Amino acid sequence: MSLKIDLHTHTTYSDGTLSPSALVQRAYDCGITAISITDHDSLNGLQEAIECGKDLGIDVIPGVEISTDLDDKEIHLLAYFIDIENEEFQKYLSFFRDERFHRAKRIVRKLQNLGLHITIDDVMAQAQNSAVGRPHIAYALMELGIIKNYTEAFEKYIGDYGPAFERKIHVSPHSALKLISDAGGLSFIAHPGYMKESLLLSLIKAGIDGIECVHPSHNESQVTFYRGIVNQYCLLETGGSDFHGGKKMDDETLGKFYIGQNQLEAMRKMLHKYSA
Ligand code: AMP
Ligand code: ZN
Ligand code: FE
Ligand code: FE
């Protein structure tokens, strides 16, 4: 039987709707044998997930999805096997989450100026203590009855070209790559489907360890294309469902997007090489 390994998922510590243990349980029920929790800009769900994984006998790989940008384009990086106790890394993530909070307040102010009755408290009721992002604002707008569904929030207000859009603070992929390798982790370009090939190549040149080939936003020919790049440049391959718990109409993705044991073994080999 081939193993199902899902290295891209989100919990309530970012914009997912399941707690880390509920997510690990659900993955186990879907036949997933190893999982990475890759919350946006937070490692806080990992301990709970790792403990739950031990109970169930499912491997939980420490992960995180980091937001960076280059030339005004947002680039997500996935990092795996980071030392979750690494102080510099934790300090950076904590700073970035504070900045996310300030940005959420700026977005809310813009929404209020557009005449919407929403407050930062409505948003934080959705985000709780997690890394607050636009999905929480969309959930709050839904809860308040201002919009009918999740995508409407982006189409009308908070999408990249919407009237209430605000950027996150600028962090270059290059500085994130250094943070990741200093914390002992491996770095991957997340869901590159939207990216120009020149940008992909510049990230490879900057020292990325691998590419997320399997992702719900990639069609079959894209998966083949990215696997070709991985082979050509001797990189690692990752993949997963980017499951957020169903609220983003992604209920069906868990258990359907995964990589196999060979890819995970290749990552472990690379880690050994780095630490030798
Ligand atoms: P943030 O990190 O706060 O900028 O939020 C980014 C997240 O919002 C992405 O990971 C997507 O899940 C979601 N998102 C961004 N644009 C859209 C869109 N047009 N429609 C639906 N979801 C979106
Ligand atoms: Zn997300
Ligand atoms: Fe992403
Ligand atoms: Fe994601």
Side-chain angles (χ1 to χ4, degrees):
M1 194 193 77
S2 67
L3 300 181
K4 280 189 182 181
I5 297 168
D6 184 343
L7 297 188
H8 192 159
T9 65
H10 295 272
T11 77
T12 44
Y13 284 88
S14 60
D15 51 353
T17 56
L18 299 181
S19 70
S21 27
L23 175 63
V24 174
Q25 178 71 55
R26 181 128 164 212
Y28 177 81
D29 295 341
C30 288
I32 289 166
T33 47
I35 186 171
S36 183
I37 310 286
T38 50
D39 276 315
H40 298 282
D41 308 301
S42 176
L43 301 172
N44 293 342
L46 286 169
Q47 203 54 50
E48 180 186 324
I50 289 167
E51 275 159 31
C52 178
K54 276 188 196 144
D55 290 344
L56 293 172
I58 155 169
D59 206 3
V60 176
I61 287 127
V64 62
E65 183 168 11
I66 297 189
S67 316
T68 71
D69 71 281
L70 193 64
D71 300 334
D72 277 350
K73 292 218 171 46
E74 185 145 333
I75 297 168
H76 288 178
L77 300 181
L78 289 163
Y80 303 122
F81 297 104
I82 33 234
D83 167 15
I84 63 178
E85 308 283 326
N86 184 288
E87 267 184 40
E88 278 306 305
F89 202 74
Q90 284 283 12
K91 225 163 65 188
Y92 166 76
L93 292 180
S94 168
F95 160 76
F96 199 88
R97 286 195 299 272
D98 286 348
E99 290 298 323
R100 272 180 169 276
F101 176 64
H102 296 306
R103 167 193 184 235
K105 286 199 287 193
R106 291 198 302 274
I107 294 178
V108 166
R109 220 170 295 136
K110 280 190 166 174
L111 291 171
Q112 289 167 343
N113 289 339
L114 290 167
L116 306 190
H117 295 283
I118 180 170
T119 66
I120 186 66
D121 291 345
D122 297 323
V123 175
M124 295 318 287
Q126 299 292 329
Q128 306 279 337
N129 292 321
S130 67
V132 60
R134 285 181 286 163
H136 300 112
I137 297 172
Y139 301 154
L141 288 169
M142 258 197 291
E143 189 87 11
L144 292 163
I146 295 173
I147 52 164
K148 284 192 277 312
N149 60 53
Y150 180 76
T151 45
E152 194 184 336
F154 289 88
E155 281 159 10
K156 277 196 178 156
Y157 304 112
I158 58 176
D160 289 9
Y161 303 99
F165 177 69
E166 280 282 321
R167 307 203 72 80
K168 295 195 207 88
I169 51 147
H170 168 73
V171 175
S172 76
H174 306 81
S175 50
L177 285 182
K178 179 159 178 9
L179 272 166
I180 294 166
S181 67
D182 287 352
L186 296 173
S187 53
F188 291 77
I189 305 168
H191 45 72
Y194 65 94
M195 233 179 233
K196 282 197 177 140
E197 201 172 327
S198 55
L199 175 55
L200 189 74
L201 295 180
S202 77
L203 293 170
I204 294 172
K205 210 164 153 199
I208 199 94
D209 294 300
I211 297 178
E212 184 176 46
C213 299
V214 174
H215 185 271
S217 67
H218 294 168
N219 60 32
E220 246 173 72
S221 67
Q222 282 173 308
V223 174
T224 306
F225 173 75
Y226 294 121
R227 284 192 173 138
I229 300 265
V230 160
N231 288 332
Q232 187 180 349
Y233 293 91
C234 297
L235 300 171
L236 297 165
E237 174 185 338
T238 188
S241 63
D242 207 353
F243 182 63
H244 282 76
K247 217 167 178 173
K248 286 187 179 183
M249 302 169 214
D250 60 356
D251 219 12
E252 298 299 310
T253 58
L254 197 66
K256 295 214 172 78
F257 297 88
Y258 50 85
I259 54 167
Q261 188 67 11
N262 289 351
Q263 283 79 35
L264 186 57
E265 285 305 316
M267 288 182 204
R268 293 196 202 276
K269 269 197 200 135
M270 183 63 82
L271 281 174
H272 282 303
K273 214 151 92 192
Y274 280 164
S275 60

